[in-house]
Amino acid sequence: MITYEPGELGADRAPPETLPADHALTDPAIIGELVDTARADAQQLRLIRPARLGADPATDAALLGLLTEAAGQMVHLHWVLDGEQPWPLRTVVHLPPPAAAAENSAFVTRWQRSHRLGQCTYRRGPDFVLIRDVRPEGPHRRVLIEAEWAHAFTTLLDGRPPAEPSTKNLLDGLIAADLAIPLAATIHHILPIRLHKWPIPYNDV
């Protein structure tokens, strides 16, 4: 396997190898390891089959998790959207857009043109979480979550139902602010991305 240091890949070199990622949609527990492997080996990820959103909550959660983790690790993910997108563009515009669409290509074109790195992110510190949301077609905001609420936020990242009433209240607030998506009665997805490394230059992030 050929790997490259950051910035080493040039016009005279072969493109990155591609790692199939379809199995992550049925086994989301491997998403973190899969994306870590792609990043470490300078590989791209690819969904071989078109992916549909809105048909099955578990598949939605897995695909959104894969998109979120790939974006956070700055790993390129090639995928094709199948069917209609069930949410407004602003909800997902910060996630890696599809390369093409099996149908509704106009929506995908808008997604591609509107997407920018770092449009909806969070960072964690000692006893705080800071969310920055600058997605288009809606309010720009910074949300500071402190103390025990910061811990509650981290427990929501795995998509499982909140165990405490206070955590449920936090999730309801995030959903109301379009910072989380309810996928089913017991499944949700937290939308902001945690960038594990910053691009250079990063002035616009």
Side-chain angles (χ1 to χ4, degrees):
M1 181 180 298
I2 301 173
T3 61
Y4 303 98
E5 295 299 320
E8 183 183 356
L9 185 63
D12 59 336
R13 297 183 180 274
E17 296 183 27
T18 299
L19 189 63
D22 294 74
H23 54 302
L25 301 187
T26 56
D27 186 9
I30 69 168
I31 288 175
E33 181 181 354
L34 178 67
V35 174
D36 285 344
T37 298
R39 178 186 54 79
D41 293 341
Q43 293 178 314
Q44 298 180 355
L45 294 174
R46 185 184 188 94
L47 293 177
I48 305 301
R49 294 181 296 275
R52 179 179 291 269
L53 287 165
D56 175 67
T59 302
D60 288 349
L63 178 54
L64 291 169
L66 180 60
L67 293 170
T68 299
E69 187 65 21
Q73 296 277 12
M74 297 183 64
V75 171
H76 179 74
L77 172 62
H78 183 282
W79 69 291
V80 173
L81 177 65
D82 182 20
E84 296 292 324
Q85 151 69 12
W87 305 293
L89 176 61
R90 184 177 191 272
T91 300
V92 295
V93 70
H94 63 296
L95 299 174
E103 53 188 274
N104 196 9
S105 59
F107 179 86
V108 169
T109 298
R110 287 179 56 219
W111 191 344
Q112 293 168 341
R113 290 177 177 173
S114 301
H115 172 75
R116 299 289 184 275
L117 180 67
Q119 288 171 313
C120 187
T121 62
Y122 76 91
R123 64 185 181 92
R124 288 195 304 213
D127 297 321
F128 78 86
V129 172
L130 180 62
I131 298 174
R132 176 180 179 270
D133 181 11
V134 293
R135 290 171 293 175
E137 301 181 12
H140 291 186
R141 55 166 68 95
R142 289 178 181 267
V143 179
L144 179 62
I145 303 172
E146 296 182 283
E148 67 272 13
W149 294 101
H151 173 72
F153 177 86
T154 61
T155 66
L156 291 171
L157 293 173
D158 62 9
R160 290 182 292 185
E164 301 293 336
S166 58
T167 308
K168 174 65 165 59
N169 291 338
L170 175 60
L171 177 60
D172 289 343
L174 293 171
I175 291 171
D178 197 24
L179 294 170
I181 304 177
L183 301 173
T186 58
I187 306 175
H188 65 269
H189 179 75
I190 301 299
L191 286 166
I193 293 167
R194 186 184 186 190
L195 289 176
H196 295 269
K197 63 177 183 178
W198 294 88
I200 299 175
Y202 60 89
N203 305 61
D204 294 332
V205 177

